[in-house]
């Protein structure tokens, strides 16, 4: 690591914070419910803790300093933000957040995600087609109730319906 305060050291800490965010968001879905600013601040605090060698949670750790930034918030906001920050910091310091995933595992996860995406796409398309068919049926019924048709108009309408059925088949 670079000298504390150097741009080299800063880049290394920033990289650690990014890695923490990625790893924790992959392994802990509940973290995604928190605001992004809270997640980033917690990751920065955890990276500073790791870089400085101070354990998280004691009063002198860098993450405690990051957490103390909430002191100027209103009482209700302060409590909520502090709770979210502590939750995020706790998730960042868990051992299972730092587990490296191998390439094969990531490919399996991506494959499952693509499969789910295709299934959702097919369900969405089927629903869209059903909705369109129901809309056309409602429109047809509405037009049937409007005005009695003459014999010629009724024949034209039936011819259009038959043409529409032939196009579908």
């Amino acid at each position: 690591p670079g000298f504390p305060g150097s741009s080299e050291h800063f880049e290394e800490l920033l990289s650690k914070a990014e890695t923490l965010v990625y790893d924790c968001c992959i392994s802990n879905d509940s973290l995604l419910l928190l605001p992004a600013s809270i997640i980033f601040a917690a990751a920065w605090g955890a990276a500073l803790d790791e870089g400085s060698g101070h354990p998280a949670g004691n009063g002198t750790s860098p993450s405690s300093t990051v957490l103390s930034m909430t002191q100027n918030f209103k009482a209700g906001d302060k409590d909520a933000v502090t709770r979210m920050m502590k939750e995020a910091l706790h998730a960042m310091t868990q051992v299972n957040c730092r587990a490296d995933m191998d390439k094969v595992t990531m490919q399996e996860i991506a494959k499952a995600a693509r499969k789910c995406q295709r299934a959702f796409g097919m369900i969405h398309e089927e629903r869209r087609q059903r909705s369109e068919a129901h809309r056309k049926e409602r429109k047809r019924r509405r037009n049937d109730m409007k005005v009695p048709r003459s014999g010629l108009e009724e024949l034209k309408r039936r011819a259009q319906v038959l043409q529409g059925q032939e196009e579908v088949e």
Side-chain angles (χ1 to χ4, degrees), residues 15-25 43 46-47 50 92 98:
S15 177
K16 282 182 185 181
E18 283 180 357
T19 302
L20 279 171
V21 169
Y22 292 135
D23 290 348
C24 286
C25 287
E50 193 175 307
M92 301 272 174
R98 297 166 193 259

Side-chain angles (χ1 to χ4, degrees), residues 38 68-82:
I38 298 290
S68 70
M69 291 189 306
T70 62
Q71 298 302 318
N72 295 331
F73 290 2
K74 291 184 226 170
D77 294 340
K78 177 183 171 185
D79 294 340
V81 171
T82 302

Side-chain angles (χ1 to χ4, degrees), residues 6-72:
S6 68
S7 61
E8 223 175 59
H9 187 66
F10 177 78
E11 290 296 325
E12 183 180 329
L13 289 174
L14 191 58
S15 177
K16 282 182 185 181
E18 283 180 357
T19 302
L20 279 171
V21 169
Y22 292 135
D23 290 348
C24 286
C25 287
I26 287 171
S27 67
N28 188 350
D29 291 342
S30 65
L31 200 63
L32 296 173
L33 298 174
L34 300 175
S37 58
I38 298 290
I39 296 170
F40 297 145
W44 183 244
L48 288 172
D49 285 347
E50 193 175 307
S52 69
H54 287 91
N58 71 12
T60 60
S61 69
S63 61
S64 297
T65 305
V66 171
L67 191 57
S68 70
M69 291 189 306
T70 62
Q71 298 302 318
N72 295 331

Side-chain angles (χ1 to χ4, degrees), residues 35-159:
S37 58
I38 298 290
I39 296 170
F40 297 145
W44 183 244
L48 288 172
D49 285 347
E50 193 175 307
S52 69
H54 287 91
N58 71 12
T60 60
S61 69
S63 61
S64 297
T65 305
V66 171
L67 191 57
S68 70
M69 291 189 306
T70 62
Q71 298 302 318
N72 295 331
F73 290 2
K74 291 184 226 170
D77 294 340
K78 177 183 171 185
D79 294 340
V81 171
T82 302
R83 180 189 51 77
M84 288 187 285
M85 281 284 287
K86 285 181 179 178
E87 181 182 337
L89 274 168
H90 178 70
M92 301 272 174
T93 57
Q94 295 300 308
V95 175
N96 62 356
C97 284
R98 297 166 193 259
D100 290 329
M101 294 185 150
D102 62 348
K103 190 173 183 178
V104 174
T105 304
M106 291 299 286
Q107 287 173 340
E108 289 174 7
I109 292 170
K111 182 179 177 182
R114 284 190 302 271
K115 187 176 180 180
C116 288
Q117 186 66 31
R118 281 193 302 272
F120 285 128
M122 290 175 10
I123 290 169
H124 177 71
E125 183 60 26
E126 288 174 6
R127 186 179 184 308
R128 189 192 62 73
Q129 289 174 352
R130 273 196 314 269
S131 178
E132 183 66 18
H134 286 276
R135 184 190 66 78
K136 286 181 179 178
E137 178 63 21
R138 285 192 308 271
K139 184 177 176 182
R140 185 192 64 78
R141 286 182 184 169
R142 203 172 30 247
N143 287 338
D144 284 349
M145 294 196 305
K146 282 186 180 176
V147 181
R149 300 174 189 256
S150 67
L152 182 59
E153 288 176 343
E154 184 61 26
L155 286 174
K156 286 180 183 178
R157 187 195 68 78
R158 287 185 183 174

